[in-house]
Amino acid sequence: MEPIRLELSDLGVLAPELTLVAAAVVLSLLDLLLPRQMNRNWLGWLSLAGIIIAAVFAAGQLNPAEPKQLLNFSYRVDDFAAILKLVLLAGAGLITLMSIGSVKEDEIPHVGEFYYLLLPATLGGMIMASSGDLITIFVGLELLSITSYILVAMRKKDKRSNEGAFKYLVLGGVSSAVILYGMSFLYGMTGSTVIREINAGLGQASHGMLPLVYLSFFLLLAGFGFKVAAAPFHMWAPDVYQGAPTPVTAFLAVVSKAAAFAILFRFMYNVYAIGDVMNLPFHDDVLLSLMVVAAAAMIVGNFIALRQTNMKRLLAYSGIANSGYLMVPIAIQFSMMHYSNFAEFAFYLIAYLFMNIGIFAVLMIVERSTGDDEIKGLAGLYYRAPGTAVATVLLVLSLAGLPVSGGFFGKLYILLGTLQTQHYWLAAVMIGTSVVSYYFYFGLIRQMFMRSEDGGAQPIRTSVPLGVTMWLCVAASVVLGLFPHWVIGYLERIFSLTQDLFMFS
């Protein structure tokens, strides 16, 4: 068998990933060599520069003449991967920006490590977005997971952080083992780890293997369900979100979730959801299972969020509900009547990125003033910082999915797609749970405008990078709400099912 080699010309295809590798190595060396008493905030600017350069390379890979395949189809660069990489890099860049000057040594003892550990975590997500092989998927997944475990545990003197990190490590390790176990069945049935060959192998397998196909699917659904924090695999999220430093919580809520959804979207369609496995309508069961998980996430996330008094826990349950909304475009089948699933998914993911990072920036501003992350810390915010309160209102409107905001059109496009495919019960769940969410989202607005602050007026201290991040997210959410057709039209124009999603064509 001829060995698989990576040619020198292939390195240009890997420019975004190699940029993050080089930046992480340089930053780690600088952090080790510099005196401990020196301020590390400038390392954040270098990290941000590396992310921006990687994003430029990723943007250059949009709309290629044909997808680029590396290492015998193990790594794939197409519009699906390029768009998701840009989302991941945008999230990592905004989180890095809002951390500069806001992350203190008393909260995170090793600020330098925080900045350069975000880079390999983002790299793991990018590898997942381009993976075409089970081994590549698992390498990217573990790179993202292991660095995330470390980031969550960086508040070493905080008991909640230690508890959350331990729970995340144990449950994350279990979910990775479940994913690996499910992958082992696919390899055993097909004799290959390449996704396109697995698809062909399952189509030729005997009927006696059908129970193993179902078993592998449900194992992988459970494992990936943990990674995206979808019910009933969500139990880790509230404690981990509350215990982690706020920028790390934002990373888990946006970047880590987006990476897991990237591989869930590509993997489910290329392995299970297209065609009749072994001449049976297996893919109907796959899609129904995804719909049930999506509905469960929407119901559980929104209803449990009603009882939350801690801001991070509320956002954790909000993230669980949004995992359900993001799973809907994956669960409803591509058809002649409706084939814009990816555009709807990507649009809402972009809107979700900006509204969530923006609200976490607001939370960091409030934490700097009140010293805690309770919802009551927003009390009287309008009277202390009117600008921040207005920005928060715009972000909350997007989270709630009210006109005119990016979140509104993101949910609307997904809802219309669900109705076009005649999944009316799932559309009803979307509408009902969205209405429920208005109660706790508007509770945040009520705190800012109708409650007086506890303990007297406390000044709002906002660093420049943190304020810039908040307003960038607000501006992006407003633009997505005013001109949604620009974004959705561009996504539909450059994305091709046969070229950018399906690996077996």
Side-chain angles (χ1 to χ4, degrees):
M1 181 178 178
E2 185 179 349
I4 301 173
R5 294 187 177 90
L6 190 67
E7 303 294 338
L8 187 62
S9 59
D10 294 335
L11 297 181
V13 180
L14 298 173
E17 292 85 348
L18 294 176
T19 299
L20 292 189
V21 172
V25 171
V26 170
L27 288 175
S28 61
L29 291 175
L30 288 174
D31 187 46
L32 288 172
L33 295 174
L34 291 174
R36 181 174 177 79
Q37 63 271 20
M38 181 175 288
N39 190 292
R40 294 303 200 265
N41 282 330
W42 63 276
L43 291 178
W45 293 110
L46 290 180
S47 178
L48 181 61
I51 292 171
I52 292 172
I53 295 171
V56 171
F57 284 128
Q61 296 177 343
L62 283 170
N63 207 16
E66 61 181 20
K68 298 178 176 62
Q69 309 278 3
L70 303 178
L71 301 173
N72 189 30
F73 302 99
S74 295
Y75 205 76
R76 180 184 175 95
V77 178
D78 50 22
D79 285 321
F80 179 94
I83 291 169
L84 269 297
K85 287 177 186 177
L86 286 172
V87 171
L88 296 173
L89 290 166
L94 288 170
I95 291 167
T96 301
L97 177 61
M98 77 178 189
S99 303
I100 298 172
S102 301
V103 175
K104 303 299 183 182
E105 290 281 353
D106 55 352
E107 181 181 16
I108 299 178
H110 306 287
V111 176
E113 291 180 9
F114 166 77
Y115 288 124
Y116 63 72
L117 282 174
L118 285 175
L119 299 178
T122 307
L123 174 62
M126 294 170 66
I127 292 172
M128 292 168 67
S130 279
S131 293
D133 186 281
L134 300 183
I135 297 174
T136 315
I137 291 172
F138 198 73
V139 168
L141 180 66
E142 288 306 287
L143 179 58
L144 172 61
S145 298
I146 292 171
T147 46
S148 298
Y149 302 153
I150 300 171
L151 286 167
V152 170
M154 294 197 79
R155 293 165 61 177
K156 296 187 293 186
K157 298 180 180 179
D158 190 305
K159 291 183 179 180
R160 289 185 306 177
S161 180
N162 294 333
E163 179 185 349
F166 182 75
K167 180 177 290 189
Y168 191 35
L169 173 63
V170 172
L171 295 180
V174 170
S175 71
S176 295
V178 169
I179 290 173
L180 194 60
Y181 192 39
M183 289 178 173
S184 70
F185 283 105
L186 292 177
Y187 176 73
M189 288 184 287
T190 62
S192 177
T193 59
V194 180
I195 289 178
R196 59 182 286 156
E197 296 176 4
I198 291 172
N199 180 274
L202 290 180
Q204 299 170 3
S206 65
H207 285 250
M209 288 188 179
L210 186 59
L212 296 180
V213 179
Y214 274 98
L215 179 58
S216 68
F217 165 71
F218 284 113
L219 287 170
L220 288 165
L221 178 61
F224 289 129
F226 174 92
K227 301 301 181 183
V228 301
F233 315 105
H234 66 284
M235 300 304 294
W236 62 275
D239 291 337
V240 174
Y241 277 39
Q242 186 177 11
T246 303
V248 177
T249 304
F251 183 89
L252 296 176
V254 177
V255 179
S256 181
K257 189 187 294 286
F261 266 112
I263 199 60
L264 181 65
F265 203 124
R266 173 114 72 180
F267 191 87
M268 288 302 172
Y269 272 101
N270 281 277
V271 174
Y272 296 112
I274 297 298
D276 290 344
V277 177
M278 293 174 271
N279 299 317
L280 292 173
F282 173 78
H283 68 286
D284 291 341
D285 295 333
V286 168
L287 298 174
L288 178 60
S289 299
L290 291 171
M291 290 182 208
V292 171
V293 172
M298 289 184 276
I299 294 169
V300 170
N302 282 306
F303 276 92
I304 299 183
L306 295 173
R307 299 178 58 86
Q308 302 307 309
T309 59
N310 181 274
M311 191 70 174
K312 285 186 178 180
R313 296 184 75 88
L314 184 145
L315 292 174
Y317 285 108
S318 171
I320 292 164
N322 278 292
S323 292
Y325 300 130
L326 286 165
M327 196 173 287
V328 171
I330 306 175
I332 57 177
Q333 176 68 285
F334 288 97
S335 66
M336 295 299 294
M337 295 294 295
H338 180 256
Y339 51 85
S340 57
N341 302 47
F342 177 75
E344 295 162 2
F345 163 80
F347 183 92
Y348 190 63
L349 184 63
I350 294 168
Y352 174 81
L353 179 150
F354 287 113
M355 62 192 183
N356 267 269
I357 293 180
I359 205 70
F360 276 109
V362 171
L363 176 58
M364 288 185 68
I365 292 171
V366 172
E367 282 182 318
R368 288 165 62 91
S369 303
T370 64
D372 63 37
D373 52 13
E374 297 296 314
I375 293 176
K376 64 183 180 181
L378 293 172
L381 184 63
Y382 174 73
Y383 306 101
R384 293 182 286 162
T388 302
V390 170
T392 306
V393 169
L394 294 173
L395 292 167
V396 169
L397 291 178
S398 189
L399 282 166
L402 290 174
V404 176
S405 65
F408 168 75
F409 282 102
K411 287 184 179 179
L412 179 64
Y413 288 137
I414 294 174
L415 178 63
L416 293 177
T418 308
L419 293 173
Q420 282 182 325
T421 53
Q422 299 181 352
H423 297 296
Y424 300 118
W425 70 271
L426 190 59
V429 172
M430 284 189 65
I431 295 171
T433 54
S434 294
V435 172
V436 170
S437 71
Y438 297 161
Y439 180 84
F440 58 82
Y441 285 133
F442 279 98
L444 304 180
I445 298 176
R446 185 173 64 250
Q447 285 286 337
M448 291 187 293
F449 290 88
M450 302 180 184
R451 297 288 187 271
S452 60
E453 61 275 11
D454 295 330
Q458 295 171 306
I460 297 297
R461 300 184 299 274
T462 306
S463 66
V464 173
L466 186 55
V468 169
T469 303
M470 179 185 68
W471 284 108
L472 280 175
C473 292
V474 170
S477 296
V478 171
V479 169
L480 287 172
L482 293 175
F483 309 102
H485 54 284
W486 289 358
V487 179
I488 199 79
Y490 178 75
L491 292 170
E492 290 179 339
R493 186 168 62 253
I494 69 170
F495 182 77
S496 167
L497 279 178
T498 56
Q499 178 171 293
D500 297 316
L501 180 63
F502 300 151
M503 297 181 177
F504 47 81
S505 57

